[in-house]
């Protein structure tokens, strides 16, 4: 007759015992060093809450915004230049006041954040795809390919990001014409900002790949005859994504600020579909005539959004760096 010890050795458990369950994703996340670092940083928690609240407010703008600033039928020029409602001269319908077209400032901020966040996320993803791919190729292939890609990156670094974005935007505006440009302005902004930030990803990934490609798992993959593209994207890429996530988080704030800068300079989204930068530019025209709320509130929103994302990026950089734990 088999003993309990024999049955445990065969099945891993004794009769009546519940087999051990593998920890789920949430359990592993709670036990990770990153989660421990997050819960021990009050500033990071506050930044995450603020960033999440702003993103959700933008996504739910059609549901929570008091008015639709993009519907001309709901606007009245007679409602223009109302100050915030708590000043005593405002209208209770407009908590943060109205702009020169009678649009509710709170509603324009919520809808404007949607455009700023959409451009920011799309441009970061675009830059990350280009930079990571070129960095993998440069680091793994080496030789002349590496030299060409890195020299292009060096030339790119000599130009400020905003100047590169302005150049690409100007070329697209000239090729498309003023009428067609408004239809493609979102794609042009994503292209111009994305091409301004790909170098950081490429240089970081290249340096990591130079270290990874001489490790045993890469040599073993070559030995069994795997193709270089399979080795790069299936085996090497997952091991170099840590720094990429940090750069992407920090670049999200930079992309939002760059889009706001372009819109403030008048080369971003049109005034009929204002982002935070466009709202600041519109309010700047009336700042010295006393209508301070038109530019102050979008400016505060932009600053808080960029600061919260930047703080999350700084925390993620420290949490993923074993030397700083």
């Amino acid at each position: 007759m088999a003993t309990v010890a024999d049955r445990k050795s065969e099945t891993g458990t004794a009769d009546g015992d519940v087999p051990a369950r593998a920890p789920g994703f949430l359990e592993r996340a709670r036990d990770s060093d990153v989660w421990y670092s997050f819960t021990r940083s009050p500033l990071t928690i506050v930044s995450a809450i603020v960033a999440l609240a702003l993103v959700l407010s933008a996504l739910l703008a059609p549901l929570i915004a008091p008015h639709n600033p993009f519907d001309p039928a709901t606007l009245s020029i007679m409602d223009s230049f109302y100050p915030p409602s708590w000043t005593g001269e405002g209208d209770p319908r407009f908590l943060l006041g109205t702009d020169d077209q009678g649009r509710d400032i709170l509603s324009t901020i919520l809808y404007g954040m949607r455009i700023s966040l959409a451009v920011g996320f799309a441009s970061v993803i675009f830059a990350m795809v280009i930079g990571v791919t070129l960095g993998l190729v440069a680091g793994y292939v080496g030789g002349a390919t590496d030299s060409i890609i890195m020299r292009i990156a060096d030339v790119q670094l000599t130009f400020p990001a905003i100047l590169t974005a302005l150049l690409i935007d100007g070329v697209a505006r000239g090729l498309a014409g003023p009428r067609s440009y408004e239809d493609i302005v979102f794609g042009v902004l994503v292209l111009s900002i994305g091409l301004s930030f790909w170098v950081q990803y490429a240089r970081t990934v290249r340096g990591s790949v130079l270290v990874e490609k001489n490790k045993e798992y890469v040599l073993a993959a070559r030995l069994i005859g795997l193709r270089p593209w399979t080795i790069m994207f299936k085996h090497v890429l997952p091991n170099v994504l840590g720094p990429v996530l940090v750069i992407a988080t920090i670049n999200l704030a930079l992309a939002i600020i760059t889009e706001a800068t372009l819109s403030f300079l008048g080369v971003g989204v049109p005034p009929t579909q204002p982002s935070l930068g466009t709202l600041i530019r519109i309010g700047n025209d009336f700042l010295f005539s006393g209508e301070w709320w038109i530019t102050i509130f979008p400016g505060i929103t932009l600053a808080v959004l960029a600061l919260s994302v930047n703080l999350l990026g700084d925390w993620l950089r420290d949490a993923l760096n074993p030397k700083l734990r």
Side-chain angles (χ1 to χ4, degrees):
M1 179 181 293
T3 64
V4 174
D6 295 333
R7 290 196 298 271
K8 288 188 66 176
S9 64
E10 294 174 0
T11 63
T13 61
D15 290 343
D17 291 344
V18 179
R21 182 177 60 88
F25 173 77
L26 294 179
E27 294 176 351
R28 293 196 302 269
R30 285 195 298 266
D31 294 336
S32 65
D33 294 335
V34 175
W35 178 253
Y36 179 83
S37 173
F38 178 80
T39 55
R40 294 301 184 275
S41 176
L43 182 61
T44 303
I45 295 175
V46 173
S47 301
I49 293 174
V50 171
L52 181 62
L54 291 175
V55 171
L56 289 178
S57 298
L59 294 176
L60 301 176
L63 300 177
I64 64 177
H67 306 276
N68 185 356
F70 302 137
D71 185 4
T74 63
L75 303 179
S76 174
I77 197 66
M78 300 300 294
D79 294 330
S80 60
F81 297 122
Y82 272 124
S85 60
W86 66 80
T87 61
E89 301 177 358
D91 190 313
R93 296 175 299 165
F94 310 113
L95 179 63
L96 301 182
T98 59
D99 62 4
D100 59 320
Q101 301 179 40
R103 297 180 297 191
D104 177 49
I105 295 297
L106 177 58
S107 300
T108 55
I109 289 175
L110 294 176
Y111 278 89
M113 277 197 301
R114 301 183 82 190
I115 299 176
S116 297
L117 287 170
V119 172
F121 276 109
S123 59
V124 166
I125 293 174
F126 179 68
M128 186 166 57
V129 170
I130 294 178
V132 169
T133 302
L134 293 178
L136 281 172
V137 173
Y140 189 84
V141 177
T145 303
D146 180 23
S147 299
I148 293 174
I149 294 176
M150 287 299 103
R151 295 299 76 76
I152 295 175
D154 292 340
V155 172
Q156 174 84 46
L157 286 175
T158 61
F159 297 95
I162 188 64
L163 183 60
T164 304
L166 283 171
L167 176 62
I168 297 173
D169 184 90
V171 172
R173 187 183 294 268
L175 294 176
R179 293 183 178 180
S180 301
Y181 178 78
E182 292 190 2
D183 297 331
I184 62 172
V185 62
F186 182 87
V188 172
L189 285 174
V190 172
L191 177 67
S192 58
I193 298 174
L195 290 180
S196 303
F197 291 147
W198 69 270
V199 176
Q200 301 176 50
Y201 299 96
R203 292 172 66 91
T204 302
V205 171
R206 172 185 176 270
S208 299
V209 171
L210 289 176
V211 176
E212 294 291 328
K213 74 176 185 178
N214 294 320
K215 292 186 175 180
E216 293 180 353
Y217 73 93
V218 176
L219 299 178
R222 291 177 181 171
L223 185 63
I224 63 177
L226 292 182
R227 295 180 178 180
W229 286 102
T230 303
I231 298 175
M232 282 190 288
F233 287 97
K234 188 175 180 180
H235 299 282
V236 177
L237 179 59
N239 293 299
V240 300
L241 282 181
V244 171
L245 295 177
V246 176
I247 297 174
T249 305
I250 296 176
N251 274 357
L252 176 60
L254 294 176
I256 293 173
I257 293 175
T258 303
E259 184 278 327
T261 304
L262 293 173
S263 298
F264 182 83
L265 296 175
V267 296
V269 294
T272 55
Q273 297 181 355
S275 66
L276 293 177
T278 307
L279 295 174
I280 295 173
R281 178 176 63 84
I282 294 173
N284 187 64
D285 297 335
F286 305 98
L287 183 61
F288 294 103
S289 61
E291 288 81 13
W292 52 269
W293 58 88
I294 303 178
T295 188
I296 291 298
F297 293 123
I300 293 175
T301 304
L302 177 63
V304 171
L305 178 61
L307 179 61
S308 61
V309 175
N310 255 330
L311 290 175
L312 287 176
D314 291 340
W315 160 77
L316 189 62
R317 177 197 59 200
D318 297 341
L320 295 179
N321 189 346
K323 296 180 180 179
L324 299 178
R325 293 175 186 170

